[in-house]
Amino acid sequence: MTTQFRPVAPPQIIEGAYSEDQHSRMLNVVRENGPWSLILAQHFKSPEEVVATTSGSIPAGFKPTWDMFLSPVFRGYFAQGSTVQHPEIEDCFFNTKFLDLVRGYWKAEYARPENMLFNIQGPSRGSDTPHVDATRFRGISMQTSPVWLMNIMVKSGLFERWRAKKAQVITWYYKGKIGGGFNYWPNGPKAQPAQIKAPMWSRAVVVENEMMYHTAEAVGPSSMRQPEGLAINSQMSADPEDPNGWQITTDGKVIQKIPEDEFRFLIHWGADIFMDYTELKQSLDHTDDIGHDQVFDMLIADLRARGLTFEVPTDPLTDKQFITLLVQTYDPGKPSIFPPEPEEVLAA
């Protein structure tokens, strides 16, 4: 199980991913269109679903809570479903340089821009539960399915026939002096990790993040990483009192101000990959898609083949007990080796 989580090729680091003008326009979209909600709030309906997307499992009978996972990292979208939501950054999404990079990365004939999202944050702790990104399958996508299901599907190894080929160009802008890098496990979660260290300004990596465990390094001063009052409904937006600053609010109350130097901006550009015309046509014609009924039939059959006893849920997409069983069965566990935490030089 753990050996399957390797990207199709080693991640490729590039510099100058976007021009300064492109960066300025994208950042302006973020400033003018907030506030932005937590990643957790956008993708998960319960703490059990969060566990299903990360690494490691929970003991039988233990009930996870939101407080276990809350981290002040917020998300928005520049483009979804191959459609740009903000015309002023259309050139950033329909990016011929990126298309050439991901075709070369896969050695494929075709690539199609699929989505473009951003993460924004101030000081935040690093995650001790690295993850793989939501893996798409023909017929199963972010538009039709929860993130946790797609991750269980890839962890089970049962659905490789339908797994979509993907590639990303992930770019960072961060001037801070404490952490803020990118931790990843290119040779599987039981092998040595690698790091891309900050400061990063338009540095990017070309990668297949659906098949590589990764996580952000801790960011900023430790005293600021978990703002008091952070909740599942917290939001982040431009600070109206500082033209370059940011703020986090909960129920309209400001709980933290974030100066420009502690602001970390990640841009995640993603593309669909097709090795040849036959593969492209199969996807366009939907001649070999898989649906939820078949997914759960296959999972249930595999659980039974393993000799597990359980009650078949009436609604497997939301049944917390069933989700927990899937996590306990298929999760490969946390990486064996973690990079050291970033050093924080204290004032004398």
Side-chain angles (χ1 to χ4, degrees):
M1 186 68 69
T2 57
T3 58
Q4 78 183 46
F5 286 105
R6 297 183 181 182
V8 65
Q12 300 173 2
I13 299 173
I14 61 172
E15 304 288 349
Y18 297 98
S19 70
E20 283 299 311
D21 174 63
Q22 287 176 319
H23 167 248
S24 178
R25 283 185 279 125
M26 288 188 289
L27 190 60
N28 195 54
V29 168
V30 179
R31 296 192 70 88
E32 291 187 350
N33 291 276
W36 307 99
S37 58
L38 288 170
I39 295 176
L40 282 176
Q42 295 182 32
H43 295 297
F44 306 107
K45 295 180 180 179
S46 70
E48 287 84 357
E49 292 187 7
V50 182
V51 175
T53 69
T54 56
S55 52
S57 59
I58 54 177
F62 180 82
K63 183 172 177 57
T65 64
W66 284 121
D67 290 343
M68 294 170 57
F69 306 104
L70 283 178
S71 182
V73 186
F74 302 79
R75 172 168 292 175
Y77 284 85
F78 289 140
Q80 290 179 284
S82 299
T83 305
V84 179
Q85 298 175 5
H86 305 279
E88 63 267 40
I89 58 170
E90 191 168 79
D91 60 309
C92 301
F93 180 61
F94 294 109
N95 193 315
T96 55
K97 177 172 72 173
F98 288 4
L99 288 168
D100 285 342
L101 283 169
V102 297
R103 278 193 295 261
Y105 179 74
W106 268 92
K107 297 180 173 55
E109 292 185 22
Y110 300 97
R112 176 179 64 203
E114 194 272 325
N115 73 85
M116 189 177 188
L117 59 84
F118 60 85
N119 294 348
I120 56 174
Q121 65 189 103
S124 308
R125 69 180 187 273
S127 173
D128 64 354
T129 53
H131 63 282
V132 291
D133 287 353
T135 308
R136 277 74 162 179
F137 299 81
R138 291 193 301 276
I140 300 290
S141 69
M142 294 281 285
Q143 287 70 46
T144 65
S145 309
V147 171
W148 72 261
L149 177 62
M150 292 186 283
N151 280 6
I152 287 293
M153 287 174 68
V154 73
K155 289 173 181 178
S156 75
L158 298 172
F159 304 96
E160 285 299 291
R161 166 181 157 184
W162 296 276
R163 182 163 64 86
K165 296 179 175 67
K166 306 288 291 186
Q168 300 80 36
V169 178
I170 303 170
T171 310
W172 298 271
Y173 290 88
Y174 177 61
K175 293 181 177 179
K177 298 179 180 179
I178 303 172
F182 179 65
N183 298 334
Y184 60 103
W185 286 258
N187 296 310
K190 302 305 180 185
Q192 286 284 344
Q195 286 186 297
I196 300 174
K197 299 292 287 185
M200 301 184 285
W201 198 258
S202 201
R203 181 177 295 167
V205 63
V206 184
V207 69
E208 184 195 14
N209 255 4
E210 288 87 357
M211 295 303 293
M212 184 181 77
Y213 274 83
H214 60 278
T215 190
E217 185 184 30
V219 182
S222 57
S223 61
M224 296 177 64
R225 292 177 188 168
Q226 196 71 14
E228 185 176 352
L230 185 70
I232 193 66
N233 64 329
S234 294
Q235 297 180 316
M236 185 170 174
S237 61
D239 184 348
E241 299 176 352
D242 180 350
N244 297 310
W246 301 82
Q247 66 181 22
I248 298 175
T249 61
T250 302
D251 296 324
K253 178 184 177 181
V254 177
I255 63 169
Q256 187 177 57
K257 297 270 191 176
I258 300 168
E260 180 183 14
D261 285 350
E262 293 299 342
F263 174 69
R264 185 177 187 264
F265 182 30
L266 177 154
I267 304 159
H268 182 290
W269 179 93
D272 296 316
I273 303 294
F274 308 97
M275 300 304 292
D276 52 32
Y277 182 72
T278 299
E279 197 167 273
L280 172 62
K281 193 172 189 304
Q282 182 185 54
S283 175
L284 294 175
D285 293 348
H286 300 283
T287 53
D288 189 32
D289 284 3
I290 189 170
H292 288 157
D293 288 346
Q294 187 176 357
V295 168
F296 285 113
D297 285 347
M298 290 176 66
L299 286 169
I300 289 168
D302 186 64
L303 292 173
R304 286 174 170 162
R306 292 168 180 261
L308 297 174
T309 302
F310 58 95
E311 183 177 342
V312 176
T314 56
D315 184 4
L317 282 172
T318 60
D319 189 293
K320 295 178 183 178
Q321 190 172 4
F322 186 65
I323 294 171
T324 299
L325 174 64
L326 293 174
V327 172
Q328 292 170 342
T329 303
Y330 297 116
D331 190 87
K334 293 182 181 181
S336 301
I337 308 167
F338 279 78
E341 283 291 294
E343 295 184 6
E344 185 169 357
V345 179
L346 301 177

